Amino acid sequence: MSSIDAYGEHLPGVPGWLNKGDNAWQLTAATLVGLQSMPGLVILYASIVKKKWAVNSAFMALYAFAAVLICWVLLCYRMAFGDKLLPFWGKGAPALGQKFLINQAKVPESKHFYKDGRVENETVEPLYPMASLVYFQFTFAAITLILLAGSVLGRMNIKAWMAFVPLWLIFSYTVGAFSLWGGGFLYHWGVIDYSGGYVIHLSSGIAGLTAAYWVGPRLKSDRERFPPNNLLLMLAGAGLLWMGWSGFNGGAPYAANIDASIAVLNTNICAATSLLVWTSLDVIFFGKPSVIGAVQGMMTGLVCITPGAGLVQSWAAIVMGILSGSIPWVSMMVIHKKSSLLQKVDDTLGVFHTHAVAGLLGGLLTGLLAEPALCRLLLPVTNSRGAFYGGAGGVQFLKQLVAAAFVIGWNLVSTTLILLFIRLFIPLRMSDEQLMIGDDAVHGEEAYALWGDGEKYDPTKHGAWHDSEYNAASPCANGARGFTINL
């Protein structure tokens, strides 16, 4: 096919409104965000926990990714980005039909009006099909649930988790997404949440802490000693998370435009700064740098920049990185140890500190540092700006505070009600016997099968993966699954 035909406007698959560059970038960004979860957080969770919980932790993330996708296309996408049902909720409906998916993407409730009724900003209509937008927003919903899971690793009943994921998606996530992104009351009020500091990170951190309270703590022995089983693999997962964040924030403008470029650069600047600050504090107060600490610092930097990635100048990204590498560090290393409430609630991976604290910090800093010229590139409310730029900036900071209070309150209440409902039918916490054993008791599988490091392979229990003829001849027939190592 000639280049003229390939890029002609009248091909059936290339309608006049389609911008191939925007569509290619949006699908790429969606894939990058998806890779953050699968395999990024699957690998990170499997390796950062105690060895006996590696399989269970990875499976919780894997299950959430799959379950969210099906719920998203059956009901939840249009609850978050569809027609208005309530000021904070859209009308649920399937996003599966070809007539819906091949049309130009549109967020129907995003048209913004002045107080006198004149149109201030037209409806958001990206130049690619609805299918691209549905998938992109799914990856955000999925990673929110997976981040939340980090608070309850190592003890939540897997059956309770399987029930929790769709219920929380429906009754919690869609509310925040519609309110702030889909044309809800906070969107039209002018609250800034560029790419999910509130919708994703503040929500997952608060809901995670709430879930950790209701599920209950790990075994005392696990709380006292919970070493990562593979630090190098943990870094691989963290690397996927960091690199994937370019799609996370770079895809938020819904176009391959200059705002996307600013967002990607700021994202990496803030993450690097935060990592260096967190590591420096570890060296100053503990005498040595910590790999886990560096990953935590990377995470808080990525979270903090998210609410304003495309709306702040790059020097402001450095400022945000300094604060995100220090304030959550103090929250986790100092305040947590002195707070009886935080000590009582067993937040396994400290999601409250790395996501709720950092997400709130980022949202408030955006209310201070959002640059007017960058705001004009994206936001529906004209003259939006941070408080440091005068004008209506002081009001913007107040809006950021009120929105944070709404997100915190909704997640506290909704997560509590969902878990109390599930508890009527399924225990939220595993039995102490399961907690003592770990993966083998919950899944009948173990992450590492080394001779002398646990149970030997039992074909009656785990299934015969060798044929009988091979078993009879093999000197490893009664050994553990995997390689047999003579120690």
Side-chain angles (χ1 to χ4, degrees):
M1 182 179 290
S2 69
S3 60
I4 295 176
D5 292 332
Y7 292 93
E9 293 185 3
H10 303 294
L11 290 173
V14 189
W17 48 260
L18 177 65
N19 183 306
K20 293 183 178 181
D22 284 353
N23 194 33
W25 169 238
Q26 207 63 39
L27 291 173
T28 301
T31 303
L32 287 170
V33 181
L35 287 170
Q36 289 184 288
S37 299
M38 252 298 293
L41 284 170
V42 171
I43 293 173
L44 193 149
Y45 282 4
S47 52
I48 201 171
V49 298
K50 203 171 186 177
K51 180 174 71 69
K52 72 176 185 177
W53 292 116
V55 171
N56 181 255
S57 300
F59 181 79
M60 287 177 70
L62 177 65
Y63 167 80
F65 191 81
V68 168
L69 176 55
I70 302 306
C71 295
W72 193 246
V73 296
L74 286 176
L75 180 69
C76 295
Y77 171 76
R78 293 171 80 167
M79 293 181 73
F81 294 93
D83 297 317
K84 177 180 174 182
L85 175 66
L86 296 169
F88 53 86
W89 224 356
K91 296 178 181 178
L96 290 168
Q98 88 158 17
K99 291 183 179 179
F100 178 77
L101 294 174
I102 68 173
N103 287 331
Q104 183 177 356
K106 180 179 181 180
V107 182
E109 299 297 337
S110 58
K111 181 181 284 189
H112 189 71
F113 299 90
Y114 289 107
K115 291 181 179 179
D116 61 6
R118 292 180 297 118
V119 175
E120 182 174 5
N121 211 296
E122 291 292 344
T123 304
V124 175
E125 294 185 281
L127 301 177
Y128 45 74
M130 186 66 82
S132 298
L133 185 59
V134 170
Y135 184 71
F136 178 73
Q137 289 297 346
F138 145 69
T139 59
F140 279 62
I143 201 171
T144 308
L145 265 299
I146 295 172
L147 292 172
L148 190 162
S151 293
V152 292
L153 296 180
R155 84 280 198 175
M156 186 169 185
N157 186 336
I158 191 64
K159 295 176 182 177
W161 174 248
M162 293 171 76
F164 176 80
V165 168
L167 291 175
W168 193 86
L169 179 69
I170 293 169
F171 294 105
S172 188
Y173 180 82
T174 57
V175 170
F178 184 82
S179 298
L180 283 155
W181 289 344
F185 75 106
L186 294 175
Y187 174 91
H188 288 294
W189 193 34
V191 175
I192 300 174
D193 188 11
Y194 175 83
S195 192
Y198 286 176
V199 174
I200 295 173
H201 300 294
L202 183 57
S203 294
S204 61
I206 295 299
L209 187 72
T210 306
Y213 173 82
W214 289 110
V215 172
R218 290 166 289 169
L219 289 178
K220 185 173 183 291
S221 58
D222 281 351
R223 292 196 72 180
E224 292 174 348
R225 179 166 172 74
F226 206 69
N229 67 82
N230 194 324
L231 279 175
L232 296 181
L233 200 60
M234 180 195 73
L235 284 175
L240 286 167
L241 200 64
W242 186 344
M243 292 299 99
W245 224 286
S246 292
F248 200 103
N249 289 342
Y254 294 162
N257 57 21
I258 57 176
D259 204 44
S261 300
I262 292 289
V264 170
L265 178 61
N266 286 346
T267 296
N268 286 274
I269 288 174
C270 187
T273 305
S274 183
L275 185 154
L276 296 175
V277 170
W278 192 294
T279 300
S280 299
L281 290 171
D282 280 348
V283 172
I284 292 169
F285 289 93
F286 302 125
K288 60 184 70 173
S290 163
V291 173
I292 296 177
V295 171
Q296 302 279 34
M298 173 205 81
M299 184 79 73
T300 56
L302 292 167
V303 170
C304 184
I305 194 63
T306 294
L311 306 174
V312 301
Q313 298 190 60
S314 292
W315 63 261
I318 294 178
V319 173
M320 294 174 78
I322 293 170
L323 294 174
S324 65
S326 53
I327 293 176
W329 187 94
V330 172
S331 170
M332 181 179 286
M333 300 298 180
V334 180
I335 297 175
H336 182 95
K337 295 177 181 179
K338 294 183 178 181
S339 168
S340 58
L341 174 62
L342 293 176
Q343 284 288 306
K344 180 181 178 182
V345 180
D346 182 16
D347 181 357
T348 307
L349 299 185
V351 177
F352 172 75
H353 303 286
T354 56
H355 292 274
V357 173
L360 175 61
L361 176 65
L364 298 181
L365 288 174
T366 299
L368 297 175
L369 299 170
E371 206 276 333
L374 293 174
C375 289
R376 283 195 294 271
L377 297 177
L378 186 72
L379 299 182
V381 179
T382 54
N383 296 320
S384 294
R385 64 188 62 214
F388 287 169
Y389 292 92
V395 176
Q396 186 64 55
F397 184 76
L398 176 63
K399 291 177 180 179
Q400 301 298 110
L401 278 172
V402 173
F406 171 77
V407 172
I408 290 170
W410 186 269
N411 279 278
L412 277 170
V413 174
S414 63
T415 305
T416 295
L417 293 176
I418 290 168
L419 288 169
L420 291 179
F421 174 75
I422 293 172
R423 193 169 70 174
L424 297 174
F425 308 96
I426 308 171
L428 298 179
R429 186 174 180 267
M430 299 180 201
S431 67
D432 286 346
E433 290 181 357
Q434 289 177 311
L435 293 175
M436 287 292 293
I437 298 170
D439 288 336
D440 198 38
V442 180
H443 300 281
E445 299 165 311
E446 292 183 0
Y448 305 102
L450 300 177
W451 185 86
D453 190 33
E455 182 184 8
K456 292 183 178 180
Y457 177 71
D458 181 357
T460 63
K461 179 177 180 182
H462 301 294
W465 62 286
H466 294 80
D467 59 41
S468 57
E469 197 174 296
Y470 177 80
N471 279 339
S474 173
C476 303
N478 295 318
R481 287 167 287 176
F483 293 101
T484 299
I485 301 175
N486 294 319
L487 302 178

